Each structure stands twice: as structure tokens, then as C-alpha cells.
Amino acid sequence: SLRRFSYAFRTRYNVYYHAKKEFTQSLKELSQTTYPPDSVLQLFDGCIRKCEKAIRLYSIRQKPPKKRGWQQDARQRKRQEQTEYNPFLVHCWLLMGKAYYYNRDYELAIPVFSYIRHHFKEKPDPCTEALFWESACYMHLGEGYRAAYLLEGMDPSGLSRTHKKHYLVLQSTSRSPEVISYHPDPLLQAKDSVKELYESLAPASSFFFPSVEDSLYHILYTSYLRKEKERVWEIGDMFQTDHFFSVWRPAVLYLEALTYAAGKDTANCREKLHQLATLFPVSSLADIATRFLENLEQNNELTGDFAPLGLSYTHLLPVKTYPFVSSIEETDYRLILFMPDQTFPDQEIIFKVYSFNFTFLVRKQLDVEIRYWGEQRGVVISGFTDSREISTYLTLVRQFPLFPEVDPEPEYLPVSGHNYQLLRTEQHLNDYRAFYLSKETGPFTGRHK
């Protein structure tokens, strides 16, 4: 109805917008300040008040009129069972719960997440997310058994890939003493995009806050020690699909190979070792994989024990390798502009870039868009067909600065189409920046300012 649309629009673009902005600012402050581990904070109180305001002003509890025969219509029955008819309000509830969580007020966060699970059943994704956060609250309160009980009621086969990762990590954290000792804070940072499930940049406490890749690898390693081969292969498939160039990938491949070796599966063992030696030749495990393969070629069977003596978690720490290439044969290049002042208005940046392009590039059409990698905002200028065009553009920028009033000057980062496709997270962007600065050929030499 018009009322639902109007209320949802006002909720999203008025109160929720400002609450989310304050939430992000509070997270930034939390990441830069150390607080006593057991203290309840007030950093997110402003966000909580705004969420409460949205719920108070824009909640729609009035049920729609019942049409004839509604009891025989499953869709209408489900509609009548709802308790809230503002379709966007669940996001305010969820944000408020997160604010309580980061304030370390877990006893107030739990009823918020529980309310979402019981009153927004028609929205499965927010309910799943609320269950994860509620489980994490119980773990902070030392009640892991309650978290385990919540998670046991879930069917992981119906979860999305992202939710399934968090389910695996939280389930292991609630039950495994080894994982608890490694992850004092059970919540995760999924950094795949700014809109990801856990968009926060800071821990809820001063403890170590693992990434999804770190957490998944630790579960895989623990599963290997327990000889849970199906779990090892399941998480190995996740790395294959979603974290192909993860710094943990060599260790994942090696543990998968050892698991296959234990089961006398020569073909799959050989395949994993070959991937390790080929894709990650500079890894500390590549030599071991090569020797393992040589033994297989000579004997055509699995003999001996190729796991290093005293194999431990620290022996399998990652070695940083970059999947980027320096090829100059592509026809698709981009230039990413990073402003030193992150509060500089988006529209003003886009206007200045378009004005510059219109003035100096009479026959060249370039597209401009804003993209975020975590908190890093980049202005992506696309449409360059070769590296020489980027060099020419940067020469013009040095002669006629886009933002002469800005100090320090913006950073300009050239990137090929292939490499750009790999910049999925903030960490990938930082890795590419390090890779780019290490190159000595073509226009990709140091930063252009």
C-alpha cells in the first residue's frame, strides 16, 4: 500500500540513514581507542536512540483487511500472521541490536535479536543474521551452551554460502575449547563488500578479531587433527570457490592432500599437491609438495608419512603471494583516485572529474563511479584501452591538478581489467597497492601524484 511504501521510504532514507552513519563513525572510534575489556560502553547510544525513534514513528502494526476466503489462502494467512508491516523496519531492529552488542551490553542486545527472530519470520536473512549475533552475545556471557542450542536448531543445508561460513565458525566456537582459546571474540569480519553481513571494522573488545579466512582455516586445521575428513574437504571447497588466492590456500591444499593420503586416495592427493606446487611455487610448503609428488611418480602409491614432524598451526602460517599480473597486452584499464579527505562530497568529486575529462579529452569517453573497499573510497575512472592512455592522462593531471586545493594530493592507482576483477575486498586493494608499488616496468612505477 501507499502507506507502507511511504513509511519504508522515510525509515530508510531519513532516520536509518543517520543511524547507520553514526554507527559507522562509532565503529571507527572504537577501532582507534582501547577500553577496559569488561566495561559497558556508551559509544553507540546515539545510534540506539535513532533506531528507537524509527521504530516509534514508523512501525505499522495494523493488519490489512481480510479478504473473503483468506483462511484458505496460504499467502493471505501468512500475511495476517505478521506483526509488523513496515518492510524496512527490521533493519532498524538489527542495527539497534548490533549497537547494543558493540556497547558490550549483551543482556540488552539478546532480546533485540530474539525479537527479530520471532517477529520477522517472513524475512529469513535478517532472522538468520540475528541468530548469529544472539549466539555471539551468549558466548560473551560465558553461556556457550545457549549458543550451541540456538545453532542446533538451524538447517545449514538451506543457508547461503556466506551464512554457512558464519554458521560453521560459530558452531565450532560454541563447542570447541581449542577454537575458543584462539578466537576470544566469536564474531567475524566478512570483508567482501561494504554491505556484507558484518560490515564493522573494529572488534567488540580489545581481543584479536579474526577474519573469515582466518576462522575457516582454523576450523579446517582443527578438523584435520580430529580426522574429520568430510569437514576438511567441505571447507577446502569453500576456499576453492570463494578464497582462491587466500594466503591460507597453500596450507589448505596441503592439509587436503594429507587427508586424502590418509585415506589412500592417490588421485586426489596428487591433484591437491600439484595445485599447491603450481599455484604457489614460493610457498614454504611447495618444496614439500614437490617431494611428495616425486615419491608418488616413482612408486605410484602412497608410502611413508609426508607430514612434517611436529606439524602444528604455526608451521602452516601463510606466506604473502599476489595473484596480480603486470601484462600490458590488455585493452581494459582503469584509474582509481583516492581522496585524502574521505568526507569530500561524492558528487563534487564526480563533477570535477567529468569536467576535467570534458575539457582535455575531446574524443575520449570515460566513465566515472564511486566504489568502496571497506572504509576506503575510490573514484574509478574506466574506459582506457591501453597503458599509454593512462600515462597521458596522468601527465595531464600532474600539469593541471584535478584538486589543487586539496593537501595532500590525491593518490592515483592504475589497474588493468584482470587485476581490477580481483579487488573484491579492502585487503585485496591493499595487496594490489603493495604489488603495484613493487613493479618497475611500464607506467606502473610508484604512485602518480
Side-chain angles (χ1 to χ4, degrees), residues 104-298:
R104 303 177 186 168
D105 203 340
Y106 307 118
E107 292 181 349
L108 286 181
I110 287 172
V112 174
F113 294 129
S114 179
Y115 181 91
I116 294 170
R117 291 193 298 108
H118 289 91
H119 291 270
F120 293 94
K121 293 180 180 179
E122 73 279 5
K123 297 182 179 296
D125 284 347
C127 285
T128 300
E129 187 177 345
L131 186 146
F132 289 157
W133 286 90
E134 186 178 348
S135 300
C137 289
Y138 281 125
M139 292 179 204
H140 276 294
L141 294 173
E143 300 177 1
Y145 66 94
R146 292 183 183 272
Y149 177 79
L150 282 177
L151 294 166
E152 279 179 358
M154 297 189 70
D155 178 12
S157 63
L159 298 178
S160 67
R161 180 173 292 274
T162 299
H163 281 168
K164 193 169 184 179
K165 292 179 190 177
H166 298 292
Y167 170 81
L168 287 171
V169 173
L170 284 167
Q171 185 190 49
S172 297
T173 307
S174 66
R175 292 182 172 277
S176 170
E178 302 116 56
V179 180
I180 290 174
S181 65
Y182 179 68
H183 299 317
D185 192 325
L187 277 182
L188 311 173
Q189 281 190 81
K191 303 176 184 175
D192 291 343
S193 78
V194 73
K195 295 181 180 179
E196 272 290 357
L197 178 63
Y198 300 115
E199 65 270 276
S200 57
L201 299 173
S205 69
S206 58
F207 293 126
F208 170 69
F209 202 55
S211 71
V212 170
E213 293 178 14
D214 295 339
S215 302
L216 284 175
Y217 174 73
H218 186 73
I219 295 172
L220 183 144
Y221 178 73
T222 304
S223 300
Y224 165 76
L225 295 179
R226 294 174 176 172
K227 299 182 179 180
E228 298 172 352
K229 59 182 181 181
E230 288 81 9
R231 177 63 66 85
V232 171
W233 296 333
E234 181 182 13
I235 299 176
D237 287 343
M238 288 183 178
F239 273 93
Q240 169 80 16
T241 304
D242 298 333
H243 308 288
F244 192 83
F245 291 109
S246 167
V247 293
W248 291 112
R249 190 83 199 291
V252 169
L253 289 169
Y254 186 60
L255 290 177
E256 286 185 281
L258 292 180
T259 305
Y260 282 120
K264 303 299 181 182
D265 187 341
T266 305
N268 280 315
C269 178
R270 181 185 285 113
E271 179 187 351
K272 295 300 178 182
L273 292 170
H274 180 73
Q275 288 184 39
L276 171 55
T278 304
L279 294 174
F280 303 95
V282 299
S283 166
S284 59
L285 294 171
D287 289 340
I288 298 174
T290 301
R291 294 199 302 272
F292 205 149
L293 283 169
E294 289 174 353
N295 181 276
L296 282 175
E297 294 301 326
Q298 292 172 6

Side-chain angles (χ1 to χ4, degrees), residues 319-354:
V319 175
K320 179 69 75 176
T321 57
Y322 299 121
F324 309 109
V325 297
S326 304
S327 170
I328 59 172
E329 310 216 349
E330 296 189 43
T331 59
D332 177 22
Y333 284 89
R334 292 170 176 81
L335 188 64
I336 309 177
L337 183 157
F338 295 96
M339 296 293 291
D341 181 4
Q342 292 292 301
T343 63
F344 209 90
D346 290 355
Q347 293 304 318
E348 187 171 345
I349 296 174
I350 292 176
F351 176 77
K352 288 202 172 191
V353 174
Y354 270 123

